Amino acid sequence: MTAFPENFLWGTATAAYQVEGAAAEDGRGPSIWDTFSHTPGLVANGDTGDVACDHYHRLDEDLDLLAALGVGAYRFSISWPRVRPQGRANRPGLDFYERLVDGLLARNIAPVATLYHWDLPQELEDAGGWPERETAYRFADYATLMGETIGDRVHTWITLNEPWCSAYLGYASGVHAPGRTEPAAALAAVHHLNLGHGLAVQALRATGAKDAKMSVTLNLHHVRGVSEADADAVRRADAVANRAFLGPMLEGAYPRDLIEDTAAVTDWSFVRDGDEATACQPIDVLGVNYYNPTLVRQWDGSSERATADGHQDGAASPWIACEDVEFVQQPGPYTEMGWNIDETGLTELLLRLHRDHPGTPLMITENGAAFADVVTPDGRVHDERRVDYLHRHLTAVAEAIAGGADVRGYFVWSLMDNFEWAHGYAKRFGIVRVEPGTLERVWKDSAHWYRDVVATGKLPG
Ligand code: PNW
């Protein structure tokens, strides 16, 4: 029987635009995801986050749901345009997060707050977005506002969620908002996200948030080569996907090979003296989101290039300076996202982080799977494939802990089915089903299973 450490933090995760709805209420301004989802053809089925799970209006019910699950922590994100539209504090928006945080604390659930889960205020994108340095300063202003408002009650602050997605899917491949396909701008966005992270940690520490833990969540890619001959392909993909963030944030410098690999795209002149030191603020825990590994091969040009990472079907690639890297189809089984299921990548990734950054505790801030629901006439939702996925990945976490990795917690993505970005509502990650139409919350088998894991701190069987 696999057991977890005594103080292990068990939680579930969501993000504001994916669950809240109430897109035009109480003074909320538009974000880049409102604009993107309302542009025909960019999101599957024309879905938007206008209503989403209606979490904004069902807050108490959802807080009770978390309490019934017995989780010790809840990871949510704050909608920047709800609390600071047009750069001005919006009291009704702030009130919502006060009620959320107080409601969690009243139920003995630790609030883990992400400042930026992709919903940039539209006016900041109109001024250039993350490729502009100003955006990093505006982000720090927003961090100050949130630190002053709820900083005395938040357990852990996560500055950014997956800046890889913000920069490369938003500005290089364009499959996420704001939908731009400008590789040089994407690398400038990488830098201003790194800078914004550091500025936000400084800003939070300067407010009532000074006792909270500081963190950032990265979707690190566990990159493997098909054979030893593919070492350089692995190095390139790792540089642009992982070390572009780990370097400045944890070591205070961009990796030299990244600068060289991308020289034809940018001269990195947007990096000013002192920026890397600013990005490198001490953090208390590193958030890791993991779904599947990445398999690459050196491309010699003799055949058509494999592009099986799910990001190459359009014209533009998020993999800047990886023209000679093939992304190779991995063996199944697969989730509904087409992502292969391979928990060994999670153990290896955690052990690598432990080896490369030994002083930095780790937390799995997202892990989970999309599967189609099987609802039986008795109203139950039998998602044994999700239970199997979670079981495998929690076993992998336990193995990493046994191998020495300092892993402090685990958050299932997601508490409930929600707006899965460009896929709309078609891809369902919840351990709780959200009934289309009525938005009723229905426990899937995985929710019952997870409640038992949280209650015992052990995996069954
Ligand atoms: C993460 N990719 O997104 C996000 O943090 C969540 O909001 C999201 O719902 C979840 O994972 C499931 O997708 C990702 O294309 C979106 O590589 C896309 C990718 C990775 C993560």
Side-chain angles (χ1 to χ4, degrees):
M1 185 172 281
T2 308
F4 289 82
E6 190 75 36
N7 295 323
F8 199 74
L9 210 53
W10 294 100
T12 63
T14 62
Y17 190 70
Q18 296 182 271
V19 300
E20 285 181 3
E25 272 175 61
D26 292 342
R28 180 185 178 278
S31 82
I32 55 175
W33 270 98
D34 295 288
T35 307
F36 191 83
S37 67
H38 280 271
T39 306
L42 298 184
V43 173
N45 306 312
D47 288 342
T48 74
D50 288 0
V51 177
C53 307
D54 197 33
H55 172 66
Y56 190 77
H57 297 118
R58 299 177 192 226
L59 179 60
D60 290 335
E61 177 191 344
D62 289 338
L63 287 166
D64 288 341
L65 177 60
L66 288 162
L69 281 167
V71 291
Y74 176 54
R75 175 174 180 247
F76 61 95
S77 84
I78 295 159
S79 164
W80 184 351
R82 194 184 287 294
V83 297
R84 208 167 185 271
Q86 302 292 340
R88 286 187 298 270
N90 179 40
R91 196 61 243 177
L94 292 167
D95 284 345
F96 173 73
Y97 297 104
E98 298 235 29
R99 286 192 285 125
L100 171 52
V101 167
D102 290 342
L104 290 170
L105 293 175
R107 292 164 179 81
N108 253 316
I109 302 168
V112 175
T114 303
L115 283 177
Y116 187 70
H117 203 125
W118 308 353
D119 40 3
L120 186 72
Q122 181 61 43
E123 68 272 12
L124 294 181
E125 176 56 32
D126 295 341
W130 285 108
E132 285 298 319
R133 189 176 178 90
E134 261 316 288
T135 304
Y137 295 114
R138 298 291 78 78
F139 183 58
D141 294 341
Y142 157 53
T144 297
L145 173 66
M146 294 319 301
E148 286 171 347
T149 308
I150 53 174
D152 56 334
R153 285 160 281 169
V154 165
H155 178 278
T156 299
W157 286 104
I158 296 172
T159 54
L160 305 172
N161 176 71
E162 301 192 350
W164 183 91
C165 291
S166 302
Y168 297 124
L169 302 185
Y171 294 95
S173 72
V175 300
H176 279 186
R180 288 164 58 180
T181 50
E182 306 160 36
L187 292 174
V190 165
H191 179 59
H192 298 130
L193 286 156
N194 283 321
L195 179 64
H197 156 74
L199 292 170
V201 171
Q202 287 180 333
L204 288 168
R205 285 225 164 93
T207 69
K210 53 184 172 303
D211 295 329
K213 291 189 190 306
M214 297 295 163
S215 186
V216 59
T217 281
L218 303 178
N219 59 318
L220 297 168
H221 288 67
H222 185 64
V223 186
R224 294 166 169 157
V226 171
S227 79
E228 307 266 295
D230 304 307
D232 197 59
V234 172
R235 180 197 60 72
R236 269 179 182 259
D238 179 58
V240 77
N242 301 327
R243 288 182 287 115
F245 302 101
L246 292 170
M249 287 182 183
L250 295 186
E251 286 162 13
Y254 284 100
R256 197 151 268 295
D257 59 329
L258 171 69
I259 308 285
E260 286 164 10
D261 290 347
T262 55
V265 180
T266 180
D267 61 6
W268 292 81
S269 54
F270 42 76
V271 182
R272 299 195 190 160
D273 280 355
D275 282 2
E276 289 152 296
T278 301
C280 187
Q281 297 302 310
I283 56 171
D284 301 293
V285 58
L286 176 67
V288 176
N289 289 356
Y290 177 87
Y291 291 93
N292 68 337
T294 301
L295 185 62
V296 302
R297 183 166 55 207
Q298 195 70 35
W299 187 50
D300 63 8
S302 65
S303 56
E304 205 180 321
R305 190 165 74 119
T307 57
D309 75 325
H311 292 300
Q312 316 268 322
D313 29 15
S317 171
W319 292 97
I320 295 170
C322 291
E323 288 77 13
D324 58 358
V325 177
E326 287 192 285
F327 291 84
V328 180
Q329 180 72 32
Q330 301 178 74
Y334 307 97
T335 70
E336 282 280 301
M337 298 294 285
W339 299 346
N340 67 312
I341 301 174
D342 181 354
E343 67 280 6
T344 64
L346 179 54
T347 308
E348 291 169 22
L349 175 63
L350 293 170
L351 291 173
R352 172 230 171 141
L353 290 168
H354 172 61
R355 185 191 67 222
D356 291 354
H357 309 282
T360 306
L362 306 168
M363 190 147 82
I364 312 302
T365 42
E366 284 179 28
N367 175 240
F371 291 113
D373 283 346
V374 181
V375 187
T376 47
D378 59 4
R380 297 199 49 170
V381 188
H382 300 298
D383 60 341
E384 62 276 340
R385 297 193 66 195
R386 180 174 290 101
V387 170
D388 180 66
Y389 181 98
L390 297 175
H391 196 132
R392 284 172 184 279
H393 286 77
L394 278 166
T395 305
V397 173
E399 274 179 39
I401 294 172
D406 183 5
V407 186
R408 301 288 176 89
Y410 176 94
F411 292 71
V412 175
W413 185 271
S414 177
L415 169 64
M416 56 185 150
D417 297 335
N418 58 48
F419 177 78
E420 179 50 32
W421 307 112
H423 301 276
Y425 297 97
K427 302 288 186 252
R428 307 172 73 83
F429 276 88
I431 59 173
V432 172
R433 176 177 164 87
V434 176
E435 202 62 42
T438 65
L439 305 183
E440 186 196 343
R441 278 58 163 152
V442 181
W443 288 48
K444 303 183 190 181
D445 286 354
S446 56
H448 293 282
W449 178 87
Y450 193 57
R451 181 195 52 199
D452 291 346
V453 170
V454 170
T456 59
K458 296 185 178 75
L459 296 179

